[in-house]
């Protein structure tokens, strides 16, 4: 598996994402309005890390399993985990965080889950890896991307501890 980013590069991307998220805060008066919501199963890990390094305290997790448009193809017995958003999203500025943006379908599903929880004032999309417009099936674009890998061959996989054995971005 070719390595696209090692642990040091992944850490740098997450730090840049944290700095970008800090910049979304309109000064101290609006600092409590910003929340981070990660898409399971790697976006939630990234969101937690961004929350820790940016000082943004409201961090949640979305499980999009039942909102996927390919649910019947994905598995006959899908594993549904919890959505944990311990704050109201109504009127909030939300950064939706995922590991890889490819077709845009996971983001569409995540937006559906988020809208079922309430009506955010604004939603930004931040991803660790953007596969580029050639892979996009929906008109969705990232507001922040740690890196862009527009190669059409292979599957880009983000590996993050504690879910995986190391931090890396690999081409499968």
């Amino acid at each position: 598996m070719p390595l696209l980013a090692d642990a040091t590069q992944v850490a740098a991307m997450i730090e840049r994402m944290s700095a970008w998220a800090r910049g979304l805060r309109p000064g101290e008066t609006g600092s409590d309005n910003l929340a981070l919501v990660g898409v399971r199963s790697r976006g939630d890990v990234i969101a937690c890390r961004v929350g820790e390094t940016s000082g943004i305290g409201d961090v949640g997790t979305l499980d999009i399993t039942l909102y996927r448009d390919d649910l019947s193809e994905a598995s006959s017995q899908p594993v549904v985990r919890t959505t944990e958003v311990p704050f109201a999203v109504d009127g909030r500025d939300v950064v939706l965080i995922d590991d890889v943006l490819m077709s845009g379908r996971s983001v569409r599903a995540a937006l559906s889950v988020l809208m079922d929880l309430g009506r955010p004032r604004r939603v930004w999309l931040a991803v660790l890896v953007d596969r580029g417009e050639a892979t996009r099936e929906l008109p969705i674009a990232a507001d922040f991307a740690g890196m862009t890998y527009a190669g059409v061959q292979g599957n880009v996989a983000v590996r993050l501890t504690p879910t995986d054995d190391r931090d890396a971005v690999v081409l499968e």
Side-chain angles (χ1 to χ4, degrees):
M1 285 187 283
L3 184 68
L4 300 178
D6 62 17
T8 303
Q9 292 165 314
V10 169
M13 286 187 273
I14 291 173
E15 181 55 44
R16 285 195 317 275
M17 189 183 292
S18 298
W20 171 80
R22 277 192 302 269
L24 297 176
R25 294 173 133 171
E28 288 307 307
T29 58
S31 63
D32 61 346
N33 197 43
L34 188 62
L36 307 173
V37 178
V39 178
R40 246 185 237 286
S41 70
R42 305 290 181 310
D44 57 338
V45 175
I46 298 166
C48 287
R49 292 184 188 183
V50 170
E52 291 169 3
T53 57
S54 67
I56 298 169
D58 285 337
V59 179
T61 300
L62 295 180
D63 180 63
I64 63 169
T65 303
L66 294 178
Y67 289 78
R68 294 176 57 113
D69 60 6
D70 64 346
L71 184 59
S72 62
E73 298 168 16
S75 174
S76 61
Q77 295 266 309
V79 177
V80 179
R81 291 173 282 175
T82 58
T83 287
E84 300 164 9
V85 180
F87 48 85
V89 298
D90 286 320
R92 299 290 297 269
D93 293 328
V94 175
V95 178
L96 183 63
I97 299 176
D98 204 358
D99 57 348
V100 178
L101 173 59
M102 188 167 150
S103 67
R105 293 185 179 281
S106 293
V107 174
R108 187 219 42 88
L111 287 168
S112 293
V113 176
L114 191 61
M115 295 306 163
D116 280 351
L117 298 175
R119 185 167 185 215
R121 186 176 82 83
R122 172 143 189 201
V123 179
W124 288 276
L125 176 61
V127 297
L128 206 62
V129 182
D130 186 344
R131 290 297 308 265
E133 293 178 8
T135 63
R136 213 77 78 237
E137 297 173 8
L138 298 173
I140 292 175
D143 296 291
F144 175 89
M147 70 179 286
T148 299
Y149 177 75
V152 293
Q153 300 298 321
N155 179 50
V156 173
V158 173
R159 304 285 183 233
L160 297 170
T161 59
T163 307
D164 304 296
D165 62 340
R166 64 188 170 132
D167 287 358
V169 179
V170 297
L171 185 62
E172 296 178 330

